[in-house]
Amino acid sequence: MSPDDLTAVLSELQTIAQETEGLQIIIGSANARAIVAHLGKQWCRSAMGDDYLW
């Protein structure tokens, strides 16, 4: 996915999440750093390398 498309998708997901109380959105990506950079570390849980998320 291009960086511009990723930004657009994440921006729309943020809008939906802010409009819907209690909503959780799970995103899978090979580029976790870009997602964390866009959304903010406080809103993300991610596993790097060989780590497990759950």
Side-chain angles (χ1 to χ4, degrees):
M1 180 179 290
S2 75
D4 289 340
D5 289 344
L6 178 61
T7 298
V9 168
L10 294 176
S11 293
E12 288 301 318
L13 289 173
Q14 276 184 305
T15 300
I16 292 167
Q18 291 169 353
E19 293 173 352
T20 309
E21 185 178 334
L23 180 67
Q24 291 182 329
I25 299 173
I26 298 173
I27 301 170
S29 175
N31 193 352
R33 285 190 173 99
I35 292 172
V36 173
H38 184 83
L39 299 177
K41 192 173 183 175
Q42 73 275 18
W43 297 109
C44 297
R45 298 207 193 307
S46 60
M48 298 291 184
D50 292 333
D51 293 340
Y52 291 98
L53 184 56
W54 288 287

